[in-house]
Protein backbone atom coordinates (compact mmCIF):
# COMPACT_ATOMS: atom_id res chain seq x y z
CA UNK A 1 0.00 0.00 0.00
CA UNK A 2 1.16 3.51 -0.77
CA UNK A 3 1.73 5.93 2.08
CA UNK A 4 2.41 9.63 1.96
CA UNK A 5 4.13 11.33 4.86
CA UNK A 6 4.61 15.06 5.40
CA UNK A 7 6.85 16.76 7.91
CA UNK A 8 6.64 18.65 10.12
CA UNK A 9 3.00 18.41 11.16
CA UNK A 10 2.98 22.07 12.17
CA UNK A 11 5.44 24.96 12.30
CA UNK A 12 5.45 28.40 13.87
CA UNK A 13 8.12 30.59 12.27
CA UNK A 14 9.20 34.23 12.32
CA UNK A 15 8.95 36.52 9.29
CA UNK A 16 12.27 36.47 7.43
CA UNK A 17 13.31 33.03 8.67
CA UNK A 18 13.96 30.08 6.31
CA UNK A 19 11.56 27.18 5.78
CA UNK A 20 11.83 23.62 4.60
CA UNK A 21 8.82 21.29 4.34
CA UNK A 22 9.13 17.68 3.26
CA UNK A 23 7.03 14.99 1.69
CA UNK A 24 7.81 11.30 1.15
CA UNK A 25 5.83 8.72 -0.80
CA UNK A 26 6.41 5.05 -0.08
CA UNK A 27 5.20 2.09 -2.09
CA UNK A 28 5.00 3.75 -5.51
CA UNK A 29 7.84 4.28 -7.96
CA UNK A 30 8.09 7.34 -10.22
CA UNK A 31 4.94 9.08 -9.01
CA UNK A 32 3.92 12.54 -10.16
CA UNK A 33 4.29 14.83 -7.14
CA UNK A 34 2.54 18.10 -6.28
CA UNK A 35 2.67 20.88 -3.69
CA UNK A 36 -0.50 22.78 -2.81
CA UNK A 37 -1.18 25.72 -0.51
CA UNK A 38 -4.44 26.61 1.19
CA UNK A 39 -4.82 29.88 3.07
CA UNK A 40 -7.23 29.67 6.01
CA UNK A 41 -10.70 29.70 4.45
CA UNK A 42 -9.15 29.97 1.00
CA UNK A 43 -8.93 27.96 -2.20
CA UNK A 44 -6.51 25.09 -2.64
CA UNK A 45 -3.82 26.31 -5.06
CA UNK A 46 -1.32 24.14 -6.87
CA UNK A 47 2.21 25.55 -6.37
CA UNK A 48 4.55 23.05 -8.03
CA UNK A 49 4.52 19.71 -9.74
CA UNK A 50 7.14 17.20 -10.73
CA UNK A 51 6.97 14.20 -13.05
CA UNK A 52 10.51 12.97 -12.42
CA UNK A 53 13.60 13.46 -10.26
CA UNK A 54 15.25 16.83 -10.79
CA UNK A 55 12.35 18.30 -12.80
CA UNK A 56 9.96 20.71 -11.09
CA UNK A 57 7.50 23.07 -12.72
CA UNK A 58 6.29 26.18 -10.89
CA UNK A 59 2.59 26.91 -11.22
CA UNK A 60 2.15 29.91 -8.91
CA UNK A 61 4.83 32.38 -7.85
CA UNK A 62 4.75 32.80 -4.08
CA UNK A 63 8.49 33.33 -3.34
CA UNK A 64 8.79 29.60 -2.71
CA UNK A 65 10.88 26.94 -4.41
CA UNK A 66 10.59 23.19 -4.69
CA UNK A 67 13.00 20.37 -5.41
CA UNK A 68 12.78 16.64 -6.01
CA UNK A 69 16.12 15.20 -4.88
CA UNK A 70 14.91 11.59 -4.90
CA UNK A 71 12.15 9.68 -6.68
CA UNK A 72 10.08 9.49 -3.49
CA UNK A 73 10.86 12.90 -1.96
CA UNK A 74 9.57 16.41 -2.61
CA UNK A 75 10.85 19.45 -0.70
CA UNK A 76 9.28 22.92 -0.46
CA UNK A 77 11.46 25.75 0.79
CA UNK A 78 12.17 29.44 1.02
CA UNK A 79 15.02 31.50 2.44
CA UNK A 80 12.76 34.27 3.80
CA UNK A 81 9.25 33.71 5.03
CA UNK A 82 6.52 36.32 4.60
CA UNK A 83 3.36 36.71 6.67
CA UNK A 84 1.41 35.71 3.55
CA UNK A 85 3.05 32.27 3.58
CA UNK A 86 0.88 31.20 6.50
CA UNK A 87 -1.55 28.43 5.69
CA UNK A 88 -1.92 24.71 5.10
CA UNK A 89 0.61 23.02 2.81
CA UNK A 90 -0.38 19.76 1.16
CA UNK A 91 1.70 17.31 -0.82
CA UNK A 92 -0.02 14.96 -3.27
CA UNK A 93 0.92 12.20 -5.69
CA UNK A 94 -0.64 10.52 -8.71
CA UNK A 95 0.27 7.70 -11.07
CA UNK A 96 -0.21 9.96 -14.06
CA UNK A 97 -0.97 13.66 -14.14
CA UNK A 98 -4.53 13.04 -15.39
CA UNK A 99 -5.31 10.46 -12.74
CA UNK A 100 -6.65 10.84 -9.19
CA UNK A 101 -4.38 12.74 -6.82
CA UNK A 102 -3.79 11.37 -3.32
CA UNK A 103 -3.13 13.98 -0.67
CA UNK A 104 -0.96 13.82 2.42
CA UNK A 105 -2.02 14.93 5.91
CA UNK A 106 -0.63 18.44 5.43
CA UNK A 107 1.61 20.86 7.35
CA UNK A 108 0.07 23.82 9.16
CA UNK A 109 2.41 26.85 8.91
CA UNK A 110 1.98 29.98 11.01
CA UNK A 111 4.26 32.93 10.24
CA UNK A 112 4.44 35.60 12.95
CA UNK B 1 -6.28 30.42 -16.43
CA UNK B 2 -9.12 28.07 -15.53
CA UNK B 3 -11.76 29.52 -13.16
CA UNK B 4 -13.86 27.21 -11.00
CA UNK B 5 -16.84 28.53 -9.05
CA UNK B 6 -18.89 26.53 -6.59
CA UNK B 7 -22.33 27.12 -5.12
CA UNK B 8 -23.76 27.29 -2.60
CA UNK B 9 -20.97 28.31 -0.21
CA UNK B 10 -22.65 26.36 2.55
CA UNK B 11 -25.51 23.92 2.72
CA UNK B 12 -27.45 22.44 5.62
CA UNK B 13 -29.64 19.40 4.97
CA UNK B 14 -31.47 17.03 7.31
CA UNK B 15 -30.25 13.45 7.61
CA UNK B 16 -31.67 11.29 4.84
CA UNK B 17 -32.17 14.18 2.40
CA UNK B 18 -30.52 14.74 -0.97
CA UNK B 19 -27.57 17.16 -1.01
CA UNK B 20 -26.99 19.00 -4.30
CA UNK B 21 -23.77 20.88 -5.00
CA UNK B 22 -22.92 22.91 -8.10
CA UNK B 23 -19.74 23.83 -9.95
CA UNK B 24 -19.12 25.94 -13.05
CA UNK B 25 -15.84 26.13 -14.93
CA UNK B 26 -14.51 28.45 -17.58
CA UNK B 27 -12.88 26.27 -20.24
CA UNK B 28 -14.77 23.72 -22.31
CA UNK B 29 -11.44 22.10 -23.26
CA UNK B 30 -10.96 20.97 -19.69
CA UNK B 31 -10.48 17.26 -19.19
CA UNK B 32 -11.87 15.39 -16.20
CA UNK B 33 -13.85 17.05 -13.44
CA UNK B 34 -13.21 15.71 -9.94
CA UNK B 35 -15.10 16.03 -6.68
CA UNK B 36 -13.04 15.87 -3.49
CA UNK B 37 -14.15 15.73 0.15
CA UNK B 38 -12.11 17.56 2.79
CA UNK B 39 -12.57 17.30 6.54
CA UNK B 40 -11.18 20.11 8.77
CA UNK B 41 -7.39 19.96 9.09
CA UNK B 42 -7.08 17.04 6.65
CA UNK B 43 -6.03 16.59 3.05
CA UNK B 44 -8.80 16.19 0.44
CA UNK B 45 -9.90 12.74 -0.73
CA UNK B 46 -11.22 12.07 -4.21
CA UNK B 47 -14.83 10.89 -4.35
CA UNK B 48 -15.77 10.67 -8.01
CA UNK B 49 -14.72 11.99 -11.42
CA UNK B 50 -16.41 12.47 -14.76
CA UNK B 51 -15.09 13.13 -18.27
CA UNK B 52 -17.96 12.66 -20.69
CA UNK B 53 -21.23 14.60 -20.88
CA UNK B 54 -24.01 12.93 -18.98
CA UNK B 55 -24.13 11.36 -15.58
CA UNK B 56 -22.15 8.89 -13.52
CA UNK B 57 -23.35 7.08 -10.43
CA UNK B 58 -21.26 5.50 -7.66
CA UNK B 59 -23.12 4.33 -4.57
CA UNK B 60 -24.97 7.29 -3.07
CA UNK B 61 -23.15 9.75 -5.33
CA UNK B 62 -24.33 10.94 -8.75
CA UNK B 63 -22.48 13.51 -10.83
CA UNK B 64 -23.89 15.31 -13.90
CA UNK B 65 -21.71 17.06 -16.47
CA UNK B 66 -22.90 19.47 -19.15
CA UNK B 67 -19.90 20.76 -21.12
CA UNK B 68 -22.02 23.10 -23.24
CA UNK B 69 -23.09 25.03 -20.13
CA UNK B 70 -19.73 24.44 -18.36
CA UNK B 71 -21.60 23.01 -15.39
CA UNK B 72 -21.17 19.97 -13.20
CA UNK B 73 -23.20 18.95 -10.16
CA UNK B 74 -22.80 16.43 -7.38
CA UNK B 75 -25.78 14.84 -5.66
CA UNK B 76 -25.52 12.85 -2.45
CA UNK B 77 -28.53 10.63 -1.84
CA UNK B 78 -29.59 9.76 1.72
CA UNK B 79 -27.13 12.23 3.26
CA UNK B 80 -25.54 11.15 6.56
CA UNK B 81 -23.94 13.19 9.37
CA UNK B 82 -20.62 11.60 8.36
CA UNK B 83 -20.99 13.33 4.97
CA UNK B 84 -20.52 16.70 6.73
CA UNK B 85 -17.37 18.18 5.19
CA UNK B 86 -16.18 20.65 2.56
CA UNK B 87 -16.68 19.47 -1.02
CA UNK B 88 -14.22 20.69 -3.62
CA UNK B 89 -14.76 20.67 -7.35
CA UNK B 90 -11.53 20.34 -9.33
CA UNK B 91 -11.03 20.72 -13.08
CA UNK B 92 -8.14 19.04 -14.88
CA UNK B 93 -6.47 20.93 -17.75
CA UNK B 94 -3.49 19.94 -19.83
CA UNK B 95 -0.39 22.03 -19.03
CA UNK B 96 3.25 22.09 -20.08
CA UNK B 97 4.28 19.12 -17.98
CA UNK B 98 1.08 17.16 -17.68
CA UNK B 99 -2.35 17.95 -16.29
CA UNK B 100 -3.04 20.71 -13.78
CA UNK B 101 -5.86 20.59 -11.26
CA UNK B 102 -7.68 23.85 -10.50
CA UNK B 103 -9.88 23.74 -7.42
CA UNK B 104 -13.01 25.69 -6.60
CA UNK B 105 -13.64 27.51 -3.33
CA UNK B 106 -15.69 24.64 -1.92
CA UNK B 107 -19.14 24.01 -0.50
CA UNK B 108 -19.39 23.37 3.22
CA UNK B 109 -22.01 20.67 3.81
CA UNK B 110 -23.59 20.08 7.20
CA UNK B 111 -25.96 17.14 7.58
CA UNK B 112 -28.21 17.67 10.58
CA UNK B 113 -29.00 14.44 12.48
Amino acid sequence: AQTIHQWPVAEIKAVGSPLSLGCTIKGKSSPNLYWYWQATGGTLQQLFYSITVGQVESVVQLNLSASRPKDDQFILSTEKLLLSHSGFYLCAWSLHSSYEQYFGPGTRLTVL
Amino acid sequence: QEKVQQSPESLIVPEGAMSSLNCTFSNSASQSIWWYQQHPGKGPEALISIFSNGNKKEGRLTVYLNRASLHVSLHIRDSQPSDSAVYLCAVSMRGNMGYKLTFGTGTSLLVDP
Side-chain angles (χ1 to χ4, degrees):
Chain A
Q2 302 81 31
T3 57
I4 177 168
H5 175 58
Q6 286 188 243
W7 72 92
V9 171
E11 278 266 48
I12 299 176
K13 302 277 277 185
V15 168
S17 62
L19 174 77
S20 182
L21 303 181
C23 172
T24 301
I25 290 84
K26 294 299 182 190
K28 184 56 64 180
S29 64
S30 304
N32 288 344
L33 297 176
Y34 312 87
W35 276 113
Y36 286 86
W37 171 72
Q38 190 175 36
T40 303
T43 306
L44 196 59
Q45 279 190 278
Q46 192 175 90
L47 301 176
F48 298 95
Y49 66 99
S50 170
I51 60 174
T52 191
V53 173
Q55 282 190 29
V56 176
E57 176 162 340
S58 170
V59 178
V60 173
Q61 293 295 328
L62 281 181
N63 293 309
L64 295 166
S65 60
S67 64
R68 185 169 178 177
K70 300 182 196 176
D71 185 54
D72 63 353
Q73 197 173 77
F74 208 16
I75 307 295
L76 183 70
S77 59
T78 183
E79 292 185 2
K80 278 190 178 181
L81 277 166
L82 307 172
L83 283 174
S84 56
H85 285 137
S86 291
F88 195 42
Y89 288 84
L90 288 154
C91 179
W93 72 271
S94 68
L95 279 177
H96 180 278
S97 62
S98 66
Y99 293 177
E100 176 180 350
Q101 291 187 18
Y102 299 89
F103 285 80
T107 294
R108 175 73 57 190
L109 174 67
T110 303
V111 182
L112 301 173
Chain B
Q1 176 89 4
E2 180 75 62
K3 285 186 169 58
V4 182
Q5 307 264 21
Q6 290 186 242
S7 63
E9 275 189 28
S10 62
L11 181 64
I12 302 175
V13 301
E15 184 175 351
M18 177 80 81
S19 299
S20 296
L21 292 71
N22 297 293
C23 174
T24 57
F25 50 99
S26 59
N27 194 328
S28 60
S30 59
Q31 300 298 307
S32 297
I33 317 295
W34 292 86
W35 284 95
Y36 281 78
Q37 181 191 58
Q38 186 176 24
H39 287 103
K42 307 285 185 192
E45 283 187 36
L47 294 174
I48 191 169
S49 68
I50 189 165
F51 176 79
S52 302
N53 261 338
N55 66 77
K56 180 178 178 181
K57 189 175 177 183
E58 285 184 7
R60 293 185 295 116
L61 305 179
T62 303
V63 60
Y64 293 92
L65 172 62
N66 183 330
R67 287 194 180 275
S69 61
L70 303 176
H71 180 264
V72 61
S73 59
L74 173 68
H75 304 268
I76 306 172
R77 177 178 53 84
D78 188 24
S79 299
Q80 299 297 308
S82 56
D83 295 329
S84 298
V86 173
Y87 289 79
L88 303 172
C89 175
V91 176
S92 175
M93 278 290 292
R94 191 167 180 82
N96 295 333
M97 255 174 65
Y99 291 82
K100 176 179 179 281
L101 266 189
T102 301
F103 282 83
T105 48
T107 291
S108 179
L109 173 65
L110 178 64
V111 181
D112 216 354

